[in-house]
Amino acid sequence: DSSTLDSEIPAWLSNFYQEKNIEMALPERPALSFADQLQVLYDNPVPVASFTFGIISAEQVQHLQSLGTRVIGTANHPLEAKAWAEIGADAVCVQGVEAGGHRGGWLPQSANDPMGLLTLISQTRACTDIPLIAAGGIMTGQAIKAIQTAGAELAQIGTAFLTTDKCGINATYKQALLDASQDNRSSETRLTRLFSGKQARGLLNDYLRDFAQFENAHELPPYPQLNAMTKDLRAHAKKTLDAEHQSLWAGQGVALVRQEGTIELLERLVKEL
């Protein structure tokens, strides 16, 4: 529930704040109201709206489409893609287990048995013909060709762009990604709930190592509550240039990142096609 902050702060997290002498100020609400955010899209129509962390209603999809907005859902499991197709979405982003950052699905199956991208595309293709946008570990033109051969129309690429000149992530985060491309040891990623309460993939760092035993703790506050609780910790790490306590979101293709211009990366991907 995003309206109230009613989970207890885990003892390990509160101890960490005290040990590091970091001020923690919890907001009254852990997240913005979804209804209010959706209203902004109704009042200011955009060409495309994409949704993640759950599914909206058929009525909401129709309302957006009546305003000229195309609707894209996110799925980590074929059943989630099918659910988006059934309520009339225009396309679905299928996000494989390789993808960096937060997983967009909501069914227990997608967390219990995360699927690799090619498996996810082929199994989704078998149950719906909605256009698919593929995400997860795509770093090269060859990978774009592979997902198109498997049945996706488009590729969505995140991690490859993070180390390019137009990307606004902080320098410490960018350097950690570049270090991962130099050294196989530091290119290890993890799916974790420890930063936000929802599964997300990032580079393995001290925070994830030190608190690994709480990863599957049933008392871990859910998203977005834990996200609100770790906000000051992440901000402090960013301010003190500490990569070990930031959420360094990255996909499994992170070893292939390069320090290059954003345009250079785009040109290279097109050339490799």
Side-chain angles (χ1 to χ4, degrees):
D1 177 25
S2 62
S3 57
T4 51
L5 198 58
D6 51 17
S7 295
E8 283 289 300
I9 293 182
W12 56 267
L13 184 57
S14 135
N15 294 342
F16 180 83
Y17 273 107
Q18 282 164 352
E19 278 163 28
K20 298 283 186 201
N21 222 350
I22 303 170
E23 284 277 301
M24 179 173 53
L26 283 177
E28 263 174 53
R29 310 172 59 157
L32 296 165
S33 145
F34 180 71
D36 293 351
Q37 291 178 307
L38 194 56
Q39 191 59 47
V40 173
L41 291 181
Y42 291 164
D43 297 341
N44 309 271
V46 293
V48 180
S50 79
F51 295 87
T52 186
F53 293 13
I55 190 167
I56 61 176
S57 69
E59 293 72 37
Q60 289 166 328
V61 170
Q62 279 152 17
H63 191 105
L64 287 163
Q65 287 169 336
S66 73
L67 300 167
T69 299
R70 286 174 183 246
V71 175
I72 300 175
T74 305
N76 297 132
H77 192 278
L79 289 175
E80 292 170 341
K82 196 164 182 255
W84 277 108
E86 282 166 357
I87 60 164
D90 295 284
V92 175
C93 175
V94 280
Q95 180 195 29
V97 72
E98 305 90 340
H102 281 88
R103 283 171 67 70
W106 68 93
L107 292 175
Q109 294 94 315
S110 68
N112 297 343
D113 187 15
M115 284 189 187
L117 182 57
L118 292 176
T119 307
L120 179 57
I121 294 170
S122 58
Q123 293 200 14
T124 302
R125 262 292 148 262
C127 67
T128 171
D129 57 5
I130 194 169
L132 301 180
I133 301 163
I138 302 168
M139 305 292 286
T140 61
Q142 289 90 328
I144 296 172
K145 275 194 278 209
I147 61 99
Q148 288 182 318
T149 304
E153 272 68 29
L154 297 170
Q156 184 169 317
I157 300 177
T159 304
F161 283 93
L162 293 179
T163 51
T164 65
D165 64 335
K166 295 282 190 280
C167 179
I169 63 171
N170 70 74
T172 313
Y173 179 3
K174 208 172 260 199
Q175 193 52 53
L177 296 168
L178 289 167
D179 291 348
S181 71
Q182 306 300 315
D183 171 17
N184 282 337
R185 266 198 327 278
S186 65
S187 67
E188 204 174 319
T189 65
R190 280 282 185 286
L191 271 182
T192 181
R193 289 170 56 222
L194 288 171
F195 278 111
S196 72
K198 187 164 172 60
Q199 275 191 335
R201 184 177 295 285
L203 287 179
L204 182 59
N205 59 8
D206 285 351
Y207 177 79
L208 296 186
R209 282 188 201 94
D210 294 347
F211 301 118
Q213 76 248 45
F214 304 108
E215 180 65 65
N216 297 312
H218 127 92
E219 65 275 14
L220 204 61
Y223 179 89
Q225 311 226 6
L226 185 59
N227 198 53
M229 294 170 187
T230 63
K231 192 173 175 221
D232 292 327
L233 170 159
R234 289 176 282 123
H236 181 265
K238 188 175 166 181
K239 203 170 73 196
T240 56
L241 313 182
D242 166 21
E244 297 303 329
H245 297 90
Q246 289 187 44
S247 45
L248 305 170
W249 302 138
Q252 286 183 331
V254 67
L256 297 177
V257 298
R258 298 184 191 182
Q259 188 162 19
E260 62 188 337
T262 308
I263 299 299
E264 272 174 84
L265 168 59
L266 283 165
E267 284 172 347
R268 183 159 57 82
L269 290 172
V270 171
K271 219 189 299 182
E272 288 170 357
L273 281 174

